Amino acid sequence: PQVLMESGGGSVEAGGSLRLSCTPSTYTHDMYFMAWFRQAPGKEREGVAGIWSRSHDTRYSDSVQGRFTISRENAQNTLYLHMISLKPEDTAIYFCATGSTFTNADDWAQADKYRHWGQGTQVTVSS
């Protein structure tokens, strides 16, 4: 089975930066798109950023556009999320996801379109 391991979370002050990493246990054929999601207490899981393996074309939610950068290193299929200018509202558990099943690229941020998930890493931004 596919196991995704996130790391890099932590606590920072507003305006700070963090870089998250996601390492898969194995390569599977359905890893052509990988994404980061986040979930804050009492809120639904939301798509933050996504990236295709071949083109490295990316997608971002409006709330992080211009502050977060997603990237992937294809040799190990490692996924990254570089976050700058962090805000208290970025506080959440961040999850790595792959095994996407969407057929419309506009659906990339729907959590029910992914088969494989990591356990999450906590990001806390204080004001």
Side-chain angles (χ1 to χ4, degrees):
Q2 176 65 273
V3 177
L4 302 173
M5 293 294 295
E6 300 100 335
S7 61
S11 297
V12 296
E13 294 185 349
S17 62
L18 285 171
R19 191 179 82 154
L20 306 182
S21 300
C22 171
T23 302
S25 60
T26 185
Y27 174 79
T28 55
H29 70 281
D30 57 358
M31 291 178 64
Y32 47 85
F33 189 86
M34 298 184 74
W36 287 99
F37 283 75
R38 67 185 181 187
Q39 188 165 20
K43 295 188 176 181
E44 292 187 356
R45 193 168 296 191
E46 65 166 334
V48 173
I51 186 169
W52 274 274
S53 60
R54 290 191 176 184
S55 67
H56 285 219
D57 190 20
T58 56
R59 292 288 185 275
Y60 294 95
S61 66
D62 290 343
S63 60
V64 307
Q65 180 76 49
R67 299 187 299 120
F68 290 12
T69 302
I70 189 171
S71 62
R72 66 187 287 174
E73 186 272 312
N74 281 352
Q76 302 294 328
N77 291 295
T78 303
L79 185 70
Y80 302 99
L81 185 68
H82 187 207
M83 307 181 292
I84 66 171
S85 301
L86 283 161
K87 305 175 181 180
E89 51 264 43
D90 294 318
T91 295
I93 300 174
Y94 284 70
F95 299 89
C96 172
T98 192
S100 58
T101 61
F102 62 79
T103 54
N104 184 334
D106 291 339
D107 294 337
W108 72 269
Q110 294 185 16
D112 62 356
K113 302 295 185 185
Y114 293 81
R115 298 189 186 98
H116 312 300
W117 292 88
Q119 83 290 347
T121 185
Q122 177 70 47
V123 171
T124 303
V125 185
S126 58
S127 58

